[in-house]
């Protein structure tokens, strides 16, 4: 058996057993041992595909021959055990950045994410928690939303692998066209569910979007038990590990179920948190050790991701959740980012759940711009957006409905929500930053006269690279009278321009001529709103 694939692309090998098993999901473990061109072994687990069929998915960045042999827990099954073959990996010639540059990893300095070939990766994510349900119809609706996000510059989609938030366990609203992800007693997974998931995951990758796969919402660990969630994760690793994904261990990992006593009783809640933190630590270590492809691991928190585990060094990305209260959440958001980016040991930081646009009739595009620019210029390695109507996938025909609390988050449809202005405006922000070596940016509050401070959060933010570029975000109404830029380096000639974060228009301010103290004032922008001021070194 010899198959040919290009670098970082995925090859699927199928193995059918003439011997029948009564409970194939739980009875049989199958894996393949690949030898990569550098001589190292890669042990890749198979997933049960239904009936008496198991499949192995493989990818590699190393060009050359990759021989393999299979190992089955039933060594007497010649259809599964001892099968041999080889895969030839050739150079990738296309334009998909995920295949060209490979999957993701933390940078050497632990301040941003990069592809495995060292190319920096700008995280701009959208939150589609429930996109694997049938409410986001495949192919037309899913492809429409995907294209919109690609066109706007998004690079990541955050989604949940079947065990969703904001509903009772195994609620019918979590079903896709093939049913629910597990049977009622969690004794067997539903491979047909994942056949439908495959279509969406593969389309995201083909579109250049990284799936950030959340294994389950946190409360399923108590409901289904540690063994079931471990099996759930083993299945995800086998089925999707060959793709350039990011693993998110759980959503709101330490939050009890909404109807439980621990949700409202502080003493019981603390007991629950202590128990779940230990179990999630154990499961995260298991995933890290089991993943043949070494995809980055993170966890979605109720506040700080690094607080969700007993051992935060297991995480390759520190996710934050900073609140959904519009202007009331802004100061807290910045403070949480600033605290996390200087924390040791260092980890790239993302605000993975900020104020969703439109949630509660608030947090529209002005809030989205503030969140994006304040987080990035305070040291985050990217940003996650969310819109009410998309995360729970309200369709026009089928609104999501009430949460277990008895209250609905709103009936805005995803068809309306994907056109909210905030998603386009933060995409413009990403495109501006990509003109520069954004991964080398650091915050420099000393570069401006009035910077963000506690109780003064509607003041400018600034980051950049000394001697090269300074990017300043001035929230409304902070730009009245212009911005005083300080400490301009001697013998560096800058030109300045205002950038309109609403539509991408630029207003050239010409050459920067500082005074003897090295300071320069920009002057007032022509429109009363928030602005981005850029000083770039003249070429």
């Amino acid at each position: 058996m010899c198959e040919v694939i290009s670098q970082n692309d995925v090859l699927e090998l199928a193995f059918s057993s003439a011997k029948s098993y009564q409970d194939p999901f739980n009875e049989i473990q199958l894996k393949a041992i690949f030898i990569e061109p550098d001589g190292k072994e890669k042990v890749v687990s198979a997933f049960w595909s239904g009936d008496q069929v198991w499949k192995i998915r493989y990818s590699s960045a190393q060009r050359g021959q990759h021989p393999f042999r299979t190992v089955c827990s039933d060594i007497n099954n010649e259809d599964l055990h001892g099968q041999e073959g080889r895969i030839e990996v050739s150079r990738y010639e296309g334009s998909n950045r995920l295949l060209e540059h490979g999957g993701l990893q933390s940078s050497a300095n632990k301040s941003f994410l990069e592809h495995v070939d060292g190319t920096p990766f700008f995280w701009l994510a959208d939150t589609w928690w429930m996109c694997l349900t049938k409410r986001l119809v495949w192919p037309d609706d899913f492809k429409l939303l995907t294209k919109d996000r690609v066109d706007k510059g998004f690079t990541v989609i955050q989604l949940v692998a079947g065990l969703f938030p904001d509903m009772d366990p195994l609620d019918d609203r979590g079903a896709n066209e093939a049913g629910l992800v597990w049977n009622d007693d969690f004794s067997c997974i539903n491979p047909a569910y994942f056949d439908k998931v495959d279509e969406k995951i593969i389309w995201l990758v083909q579109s250049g979007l990284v799936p950030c796969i959340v294994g389950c919402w946190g409360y399923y660990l108590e409901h289904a038990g540690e063994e079931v969630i471990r099996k759930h994760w083993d299945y995800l690793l086998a089925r999707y590990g060959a793709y350039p994904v990011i693993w998110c261990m759980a959503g709101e990992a330490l939050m009890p179920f909404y109807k439980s006593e621990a949700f409202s009783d502080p003493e019981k809640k603390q007991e629950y948190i202590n128990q779940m933190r230990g179990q999630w630590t154990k499961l995260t270590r298991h995933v890290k050790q089991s993943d043949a492809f070494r995809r980055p691991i993170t966890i979605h928190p109720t506040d700080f991701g690094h607080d969700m585990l007993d051992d935060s060094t297991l995480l390759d990305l520190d996710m934050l959740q900073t609140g959904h209260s519009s202007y009331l959440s802004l100061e807290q958001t910045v403070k949480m980012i600033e605290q996390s980016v200087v924390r040791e040991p260092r980890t790239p930081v993302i605000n993975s759940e900020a104020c969703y646009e439109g949630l509660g009739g608030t947090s529209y595009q002005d809030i989205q711009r503030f969140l994006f620019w304040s987080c990035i210029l305070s040291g985050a390695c990217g940003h996650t957006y969310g819109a009410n109507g998309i995360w729970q996938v309200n369709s026009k025909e089928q609104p999501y409905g009430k949460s277990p609390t008895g209250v609905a988050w709103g009936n805005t449809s995803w068809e309306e929500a994907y056109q909210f202005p905030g998603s386009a405006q933060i995409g413009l922000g990403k495109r501006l930053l990509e003109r520069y070596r954004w991964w080398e940016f650091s915050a420099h509050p000393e570069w401006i006269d009035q910077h963000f401070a506690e109780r003064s959060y509607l003041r400018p933010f600034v980051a950049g690279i000394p001697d090269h570029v300074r990017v300043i975000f001035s929230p409304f109404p902070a730009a009245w009278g212009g911005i005083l830029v300080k400490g301009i380096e001697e013998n560096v000639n800058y030109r300045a321009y205002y950038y309109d974060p609403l539509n991408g228009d630029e207003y050239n301010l010409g050459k920067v001529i500082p005074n003897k103290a090295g300071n320069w004032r920009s002057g007032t922008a022509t429109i009363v709103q928030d602005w981005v001021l850029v000083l770039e070194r003249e070429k």
Side-chain angles (χ1 to χ4, degrees):
M1 174 190 303
C2 180
E3 303 281 354
V4 180
I5 56 171
S6 59
Q7 286 173 289
N8 301 309
D9 208 350
V10 176
L11 177 69
E12 181 176 278
L13 303 171
F15 300 89
S16 298
S17 172
K19 181 180 179 179
S20 295
Y21 299 93
Q22 184 176 358
D23 185 8
F25 173 66
N26 291 298
E27 283 186 57
I28 294 299
Q29 291 78 48
L30 177 67
K31 61 186 178 183
I33 301 173
F34 291 83
I35 307 298
E36 295 199 292
D38 64 3
K40 294 181 180 178
E41 285 190 352
K42 181 180 286 187
V43 181
V44 181
S45 295
F47 62 90
W48 176 55
S49 185
D51 297 326
Q52 306 300 318
V53 178
W54 285 260
K55 294 180 178 179
I56 291 173
R57 289 174 175 169
Y58 184 74
S59 65
S60 178
Q62 294 188 39
R63 300 200 305 274
Q65 298 292 319
H66 297 245
F68 69 87
R69 60 182 174 86
T70 62
V71 178
C72 180
S73 55
D74 182 357
I75 62 173
N76 296 315
N77 188 329
E78 295 182 354
D79 296 325
L80 302 180
H81 185 72
Q83 293 290 318
E84 295 186 353
R86 62 189 173 89
I87 296 172
E88 182 178 340
V89 177
S90 60
R91 180 187 298 275
Y92 176 71
E93 301 292 349
S95 59
N96 185 316
R97 290 178 62 84
L98 299 180
L99 303 185
E100 180 183 3
H101 301 295
L104 304 181
Q105 61 187 13
S106 295
S107 62
N109 65 4
K110 305 298 183 184
S111 64
F112 61 96
L113 295 174
E114 63 183 14
H115 296 273
V116 293
D117 70 353
T119 303
F121 176 82
F122 195 118
W123 173 296
L124 185 61
D126 198 7
T127 307
W128 301 4
W129 294 141
M130 301 185 190
C131 73
L132 301 183
T133 68
K134 58 187 175 184
R135 289 191 303 281
L136 189 57
V137 177
W138 172 265
D140 293 347
D141 292 349
F142 192 89
K143 288 187 175 183
L144 171 64
L145 187 54
T146 298
K147 182 180 185 304
D148 180 83
R149 272 21 191 177
V150 170
D151 290 346
K152 290 174 179 174
F154 284 80
T155 57
V156 180
I157 300 299
Q158 297 179 175
L159 54 88
V160 180
L163 299 174
F164 296 106
D166 209 51
M167 63 175 70
D168 289 286
L170 301 180
D171 188 309
D172 284 340
R173 291 178 292 182
N176 67 17
E177 295 83 351
L180 291 168
V181 65
W182 281 80
N183 62 1
D184 289 345
D185 63 357
F186 286 95
S187 62
C188 188
I189 210 162
N190 177 9
Y193 180 94
F194 288 101
D195 290 340
K196 306 304 295 184
V197 172
D198 284 354
E199 296 172 332
K200 295 180 175 180
I201 294 291
I202 293 170
W203 184 255
L204 290 177
V205 174
Q206 290 176 346
S207 302
L209 293 169
V210 174
C212 177
I213 299 178
V214 183
C216 66
W217 222 248
Y219 58 80
Y220 282 89
L221 181 53
E222 180 185 45
H223 180 85
E226 186 176 336
E227 182 180 1
V228 168
I229 300 304
R230 180 185 56 77
K231 289 182 177 181
H232 186 75
W233 262 111
D234 286 344
Y235 195 84
L236 295 177
L237 287 166
R239 191 140 191 167
Y240 301 112
Y243 295 96
V245 300
I246 291 174
W247 301 125
C248 182
M249 291 302 302
E252 295 182 326
L254 302 184
M255 188 183 79
F257 183 59
Y258 318 93
K259 297 178 181 179
S260 69
E261 289 185 68
F263 189 79
S264 54
D265 185 319
E267 185 174 338
K268 291 183 177 179
K269 185 173 185 178
Q270 190 57 52
E271 292 176 4
Y272 174 91
I273 288 173
N274 293 339
Q275 178 184 356
M276 292 300 108
R277 183 182 283 119
Q279 291 188 31
W280 279 122
T281 302
K282 182 179 177 181
L283 283 165
T284 303
R285 186 173 288 113
H286 170 76
V287 169
K288 201 172 190 72
Q289 293 172 347
S290 302
D291 181 14
F293 299 94
R294 300 291 184 261
R295 304 304 182 191
I297 295 177
T298 186
I299 193 165
H300 174 270
T302 48
D303 41 41
F304 296 100
H306 55 261
D307 284 343
M308 300 295 101
L309 304 179
D310 291 328
D311 181 5
S312 65
T313 64
L314 295 169
L315 300 176
D316 302 294
L317 175 68
D318 193 4
M319 283 185 162
L320 309 182
Q321 181 178 176
T322 63
H324 286 284
S325 300
S326 190
Y327 278 96
L328 298 179
S329 296
L330 300 186
E331 183 173 8
Q332 171 179 284
T333 294
V334 178
K335 291 167 69 175
M336 289 177 68
I337 292 287
E338 290 185 333
Q339 179 179 339
S340 298
V341 298
V342 299
R343 179 182 169 273
E344 295 293 341
R346 187 76 180 268
T347 311
V349 174
I350 288 288
N351 189 356
S352 67
E353 185 171 337
C355 302
Y356 289 158
E357 189 164 11
L359 184 66
T362 64
S363 301
Y364 286 102
Q365 60 264 37
D366 56 334
I367 299 295
Q368 302 308 317
R369 295 193 301 272
F370 182 97
L371 291 168
F372 173 85
W373 285 105
S374 63
C375 289
I376 295 292
L377 299 182
S378 296
C381 68
H383 189 68
T384 292
Y385 169 84
N388 196 43
I390 294 180
W391 69 267
Q392 73 274 55
V393 190
N394 282 328
S395 67
K396 291 179 179 178
E397 298 77 18
Q398 189 179 9
Y400 175 72
K402 293 181 180 179
S403 303
T405 57
V407 179
W409 287 104
N411 291 330
T412 303
S413 69
W414 74 264
E415 295 97 328
E416 178 184 353
Y418 89 88
Q419 301 178 76
F420 285 163
S423 60
Q425 291 171 1
I426 65 172
L428 290 174
K430 170 178 171 281
R431 286 195 168 95
L432 173 64
L433 291 169
E434 286 178 324
R435 298 181 190 179
Y436 310 102
R437 300 194 306 273
W438 55 266
W439 58 94
E440 296 181 11
F441 277 28
S442 57
H444 284 278
E446 75 280 4
W447 280 354
I448 52 178
D449 183 35
Q450 295 189 6
H451 190 270
F452 163 86
E454 190 171 356
R455 300 188 183 90
S456 300
Y457 64 90
L458 290 179
R459 288 182 175 179
F461 298 80
V462 58
I465 305 170
D467 296 331
H468 289 279
V469 63
R470 302 182 180 199
V471 177
I472 302 163
F473 172 67
S474 180
F476 173 79
W480 290 104
I483 298 171
L484 181 62
V485 183
K486 301 167 60 179
I488 295 174
E489 302 91 339
E490 294 183 10
N491 303 319
V492 177
N493 295 322
Y494 286 103
R495 81 152 186 120
Y497 63 94
Y498 270 124
Y499 182 86
D500 189 336
L502 283 72
N503 57 27
D505 288 347
E506 293 183 23
Y507 299 86
N508 184 27
L509 300 178
K511 187 173 182 178
V512 173
I513 303 176
N515 61 21
K516 292 181 179 180
N519 301 334
W520 171 81
R521 185 174 292 277
S522 65
T524 304
T526 57
I527 304 173
V528 178
Q529 60 175 57
D530 51 317
W531 284 94
V532 178
L533 174 65
V534 181
L535 280 69
E536 64 177 16
R537 184 170 186 157
E538 291 185 326
K539 298 179 181 178

